[in-house]
Amino acid sequence: ENIDFLSEASATFAQNRGPMSTNDQGDAATLQFPPEFQNVNCLWNFEIGMILKHWLDKEQKDDDESSPANEQLLQESWNYVNAFSNYPNNEAAKDAKAATKKYENVDPFEIACLNNLCIDTVDEAFALVPSLRSKFTDALAQEELQDLLNDLNRFKNA
C-alpha cells in the first residue's frame, strides 16, 4: 500500500518535470501559470517526503555508486520536508487528499498551498493564497473554506 502511494507520487513528480522557460513569469495569485506548470499535479509535503525518503534509502543501499554529497543533500531535503509534513502516516495523507475532492471550486494548487503551509483559518488562507479571496466572498462561502481547512486538519493527528 505504501508502494502504491509512493508510485503515484513519483509518477506525479516525473510527469511534472520538464524544461522550464524563463519568458513566462505567471502569477500564482490569479492562478496564471507558465506553460510548464499548467496541467500538472501539485505535490503535498508528505508526498515529497516519501519520494525523498525512497531516494535516500536507495542511495544508502547503493554504497558503491552513491556520492556523499548526494546523500547529504537528500538527507537535508528530507529532514526539511519531513518537518513540515502534516500527516502521521500514508493512510492519513490519502484520507486528507480524498476529503478535498468535494471542493471542486478550489484549484489543486490552492489546496496544496493550504496543506503545505499548514493554514488553519480563513484569514490566513486569504493572506497566503490570495486567489481564494475571489472565490469565497460571502460568509457562507467562507464557512465552506473553513470546512476545507478543518477537513485537512482533521487527519493531522489521525
Side-chain angles (χ1 to χ4, degrees):
E1 188 171 316
N2 290 349
I3 299 300
D4 291 340
F5 194 61
L6 179 60
S7 297
E8 181 181 320
S10 292
T12 299
F13 175 74
Q15 172 190 355
N16 289 351
R17 289 189 327 196
M20 293 185 58
S21 68
T22 55
N23 298 338
D24 299 315
Q25 292 290 322
D27 181 9
T30 59
L31 299 179
Q32 300 299 312
F33 301 106
E36 61 269 6
F37 290 105
Q38 293 177 2
N39 302 315
V40 296
N41 296 318
C42 297
L43 295 176
W44 291 16
N45 290 340
F46 188 84
E47 296 167 307
I48 295 167
M50 289 178 58
I51 293 168
L52 289 170
K53 182 67 173 153
H54 170 78
W55 285 105
L56 181 60
D57 290 346
K58 186 175 169 49
E59 278 287 315
Q60 290 171 344
K61 286 179 187 172
D62 297 339
D63 257 352
D64 297 340
E65 298 175 23
S66 74
S67 113
N70 283 348
E71 191 172 327
Q72 181 181 357
L73 178 63
L74 285 169
Q75 184 66 55
E76 289 173 4
S77 299
W78 182 81
N79 289 343
Y80 180 83
V81 170
N82 198 45
F84 295 100
S85 180
N86 307 358
Y87 304 101
N89 56 51
N90 295 353
E91 197 61 38
K94 285 173 27 177
D95 291 345
K97 202 158 204 174
T100 66
K101 298 293 184 206
K102 65 184 174 185
Y103 301 98
E104 295 175 2
N105 64 327
V106 184
D107 189 83
F109 169 79
E110 294 167 321
I111 291 175
C113 288
L114 294 172
N115 176 71
N116 290 345
L117 296 171
C118 305
I119 295 174
D120 292 320
T121 68
V122 170
D123 288 338
E124 284 179 301
F126 286 163
L128 296 172
V129 189
S131 59
L132 292 171
R133 191 174 295 279
S134 65
K135 295 180 180 183
F136 298 95
T137 55
D138 59 40
L140 185 60
Q142 289 177 17
E143 189 175 310
E144 181 185 7
L145 177 56
Q146 187 61 58
D147 289 344
L148 167 57
L149 296 171
N150 293 343
D151 281 344
L152 287 170
N153 290 324
R154 178 168 40 120
F155 297 99
K156 290 180 182 177
N157 298 318

